[in-house]
C-alpha cells in the first residue's frame, strides 16, 4: 500500500515538473519570438532614448513591464493551471459532448491568436514601407504578443496579462512633431 502511494507521488511530481517545463518553454517562445522579430527596432528605440533627452522615459518601459507582470504573477499562474483528468477531476463532471464543445472553443481561440499574429506581421510589413516605419512596427508588438499569448496559452491568461501587454505601446517613440 505504501509503495503505491510513493509511486503515485513520484508520478505526480514528474507530471508537475513536465508541466512547469512546458510553461517555461511557452514563455520563452513568446519572449524569443518578440525579441527576434523586433530586435532591430528595439535597438533603434533604445539608442534613440540614450541620445535624445525627450525619450529617456523609454528606458524605463521594460522595467515597468517586468514589474507589471510580477504584480500579476499569482493571477497569471492561477490561469495556467492544467485541467485535472481521470476519475477524480475534469472528465468525471463533463460529458463527452461538452468536452468536444470545449475543445472546439479552445481551437477557435487558437485560430483567433494565430489571426492576431498574422495581422501584426502584416502591419509590421506594411509599416516598413511608410515614412515612419518605426512607429508602425513598434505599435504591432503588443498585438503580436497578445496573439502569441492567446495561441500558446488560453483566454484567461490573456485577460490577466492584457494590461502589461498593452503597456508595451509606450515603447513607441513619440513623434517629432509633438516636440
Amino acid at each position: 500500500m505504501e509503495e503505491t502511494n510513493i509511486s503515485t507521488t513520484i508520478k505526480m511530481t514528474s507530471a508537475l515538473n513536465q508541466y512547469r517545463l512546458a510553461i517555461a518553454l511557452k514563455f520563452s517562445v513568446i519572449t524569443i519570438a518578440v525579441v527576434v522579430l523586433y530586435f532591430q527596432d528595439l535597438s533603434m528605440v533604445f539608442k534613440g532614448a540614450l541620445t535624445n533627452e525627450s525619450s529617456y522615459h523609454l528606458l524605463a518601459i521594460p522595467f515597468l513591464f517586468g514589474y507589471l507582470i510580477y504584480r500579476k504573477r499569482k493571477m497569471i499562474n492561477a490561469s495556467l493551471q492544467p485541467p485535472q483528468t481521470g476519475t477524480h477531476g475534469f472528465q468525471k463532471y463533463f460529458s463527452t459532448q461538452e468536452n468536444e464543445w470545449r475543445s472546439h472553443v479552445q481551437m477557435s481561440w487558437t485560430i483567433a491568436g494565430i489571426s492576431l499574429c498574422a495581422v501584426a506581421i502584416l502591419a509590421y510589413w506594411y509599416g516598413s514601407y511608410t515614412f515612419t516605419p518605426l512607429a508602425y512596427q513598434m505599435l504591432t508588438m503588443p498585438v503580436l504578443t497578445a496573439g502569441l499569448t492567446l495561441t500558446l496559452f488560453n483566454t484567461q491568461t490573456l485577460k490577466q496579462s492584457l494590461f502589461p501587454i498593452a503597456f508595451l505601446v509606450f515603447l513607441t517613440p513619440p513623434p517629432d512633431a509633438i516636440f
Side-chain angles (χ1 to χ4, degrees), residues 22 31 35 48 57 61 69 74 97-98 102 134 142 168-170 173:
T31 304
V35 168
H57 68 280
I61 300 296
I69 291 290
K74 291 181 182 176
Q97 189 176 25
E98 289 178 10
R102 289 176 190 271
L134 189 61
L168 291 174
V169 167
F170 293 114

Side-chain angles (χ1 to χ4, degrees), residues 3-13:
E3 290 178 15
T4 306
N5 290 339
I6 292 172
S7 67
T8 304
T9 304
I10 290 172
K11 287 179 184 177
M12 288 175 50
T13 304

